[in-house]
Amino acid sequence: MKAQRSKGQVTRRHFLTTCGLLTGAAVLGGPLLRWSAAQGTIKIGTLIPLTGPLAEFGPNFQRA
């Protein structure tokens, strides 16, 4: 039978999970933020159906 915990009470599992997530974010967050800030333009590409059976949707994709 599980023990009832009162509202707002923090369990050890919840505490350790939160500490692990915060540590991971601190360790990985700094270098990732510096890397993304150091990069220049971000290019985004897509495959657009300009020919074939779906060609009717191509111009709308290009305008978007």
Side-chain angles (χ1 to χ4, degrees), residues 3-62:
Q4 296 286 332
R5 63 181 174 114
S6 64
K7 187 175 182 177
Q9 185 178 1
V10 178
T11 63
R12 183 182 342 167
R13 178 179 290 183
H14 183 81
F15 176 75
L16 292 176
T17 301
T18 303
C19 287
L21 289 172
L22 290 174
T23 302
V27 169
L28 295 175
L32 288 177
L33 288 175
R34 283 191 298 275
W35 178 80
S36 64
Q39 301 298 318
T41 304
I42 298 174
K43 295 182 180 181
I44 300 173
T46 184
L47 295 174
I48 300 173
L50 297 175
T51 61
L54 297 176
E56 64 184 278
F57 301 109
N60 291 330
F61 284 137
Q62 281 184 317

